[in-house]
Amino acid sequence: MLFDLRRKTDVLHLLTFMVVLALPALVSFNSMTQLEAIQKNGQLRVATRNTPSSYFIDKGQPAGFEYELAQAFAEHIDVELELLVPDTITGLFEAVKLRDAHLAAAGINISETRSDLYQFSVPYSMSTSTVIYRETRGKKAPKTTADLVGKELLILADSIQSEQLNAIKESDYPELAWHETDELTSTDILDQVFNKNVDYAIVDSTIFESQSSFYPGLKKAFTIGQAQPMAWVLSPNQDGSIRRAVNKFLQLPETKTLITQLKKKYFERRNPLNYFDTVTFRRDMETRLPKLEQYFYMAEQETDIDWLLLASVAYQESHWKADAVSPTGVKGIMMLTRAAAKEVGVTDRTDPIQSIMGGAKYLTIVKAKIPERIPEPDRTWFALAGYNVGFGHLEDARVLAQRADKNPDSWKDVRQFLPLLSKARYFKTVKHGYARGQEPVQYVSNIQKYIELLKWEKQIAAIRRAREEAAKAEQEDELEPATLLELDDIPSAL
């Protein structure tokens, strides 16, 4: 009995001693701010959306306005960025509410309703809700909210536009109706208007302005409500340390400069083609490219030339028509001459596989004629220009550039002098004489335009595919609605 009492006493002393030892650590842990906890853990969890304006994969690498800004903040507080990619706008707020994410960054507008439930950072941009319609002959553009009544109107579910329309319906237009979707992105919604599946849409002005040139015929009608600030979303139950750090970061001069650069990079993108070219290109992408795309991939593996470049050259040459024939006798997808086809072993120029593989091999031969000191992508533009007009004429244009104290190894400089080869006062002073120098400039310009449009369309397609796969997996109980995605799990946009 005495032994048991002593033993219990010893155990009690031991426990007391352990608690005393642990007390400083417990006190230290409890006094740690949430920002310090994030820094100690080494990870900042950010919820965003898989859209062209927020986050996507470009050539195997993460990109997007919100991604780059969040990455800069993570580096600012010296931690790694970890992304949470919900499928819906509601999922963004739930991720913050449930503490799955420290903040949400996805071009979210501040509103009174949202401010009652969440904290926001200082604003970093402004946007307005804009009514979008497709310009159609004989159909008047909507001018006021009254013109939306009785029409098919589409918006994002749980968006700022939803709040604004509900307020308008309650105050002035009880008969106003619309459809909300959480299955589409803003880009998909613009598609719906462009394809005349709905009459109108209301989207964020920033989104529309960044993508409008890719939707010829879509126009802004009028705005709904006042301009709204955009900010990052944080939980109201935090100690304020994260919000203070975010606000300090967003107000730094270097961050403001970064935001300006990112806006230019992601929101000032312009479709280089005109209305009719864009409509034709999209149609050909849907009907012709799918049959050929695998061959361009194969040619890239064989020659290490980007398939986007090969596909763009092919479109410039033949509009992806396997039976294309020019008056001068060149044939096929890549419009090879007899001599070029023989040089690369093509026996049937109208065979798509042979033509594409042969064209890729011939392009490597063409590039070999350009000095290796010229860096990419200029070396490729020189190669294409030389192929189009002749390498002698290209050299003449480089001579003219050098005479004018310009850089003969810069395509930006040399392309200004190629058109001068059609003017006697210039072509008489160079070795190879007259040339229609504007043609290679236009030739390269067109290919550059097709590359940009292909990138855009493939990027949008990849985002849609990722969303469809996530939705399918969720239905099969393989994926939670807001699942943490590793960057490598997102399919490449290109």
Side-chain angles (χ1 to χ4, degrees), residues 35 38-44 71-81:
L35 175 62
I38 290 173
Q39 292 173 320
K40 183 175 181 179
N41 188 48
Q43 285 187 332
L44 174 73
Q71 179 63 47
F73 175 60
E75 292 175 0
H76 176 71
I77 61 175
D78 196 25
V79 297
E80 296 292 325
L81 176 65

Side-chain angles (χ1 to χ4, degrees), residues 316-434:
Q316 169 64 24
E317 293 288 354
S318 68
H319 279 211
W320 297 324
K321 292 182 180 179
D323 59 353
V325 181
S326 81
T328 59
V330 294
K331 292 183 179 181
I333 297 288
M334 302 298 281
M335 296 296 270
L336 296 172
T337 63
R338 288 190 179 89
K342 184 177 181 180
E343 188 172 357
V344 294
V346 172
T347 58
D348 183 357
R349 288 180 288 166
T350 60
D351 177 78
I353 302 178
Q354 286 196 47
S355 181
I356 291 172
M357 294 298 292
K361 291 177 181 178
Y362 191 71
L363 185 54
T364 62
I365 295 173
V366 169
K367 285 185 68 174
K369 298 180 180 180
I370 305 299
E372 292 186 3
R373 70 173 181 275
I374 298 177
E376 293 290 0
D378 287 42
R379 191 161 182 252
T380 293
W381 308 145
F382 278 125
L384 293 174
Y387 172 71
N388 178 266
V389 74
F391 288 92
H393 294 306
L394 177 63
E395 285 301 305
D396 286 347
R398 294 179 68 206
V399 168
L400 292 177
Q402 193 167 30
R403 288 177 184 171
D405 291 328
K406 299 293 184 178
N407 184 1
D409 291 346
S410 165
W411 171 247
K412 181 180 179 181
D413 286 348
V414 174
R415 71 183 181 185
Q416 300 175 37
F417 293 89
L418 274 164
L420 300 182
L421 295 177
S422 64
K423 302 180 184 296
R425 58 179 293 196
Y426 294 101
F427 71 69
K428 287 183 178 181
T429 69
V430 290
K431 183 177 180 180
H432 299 89
Y434 171 83

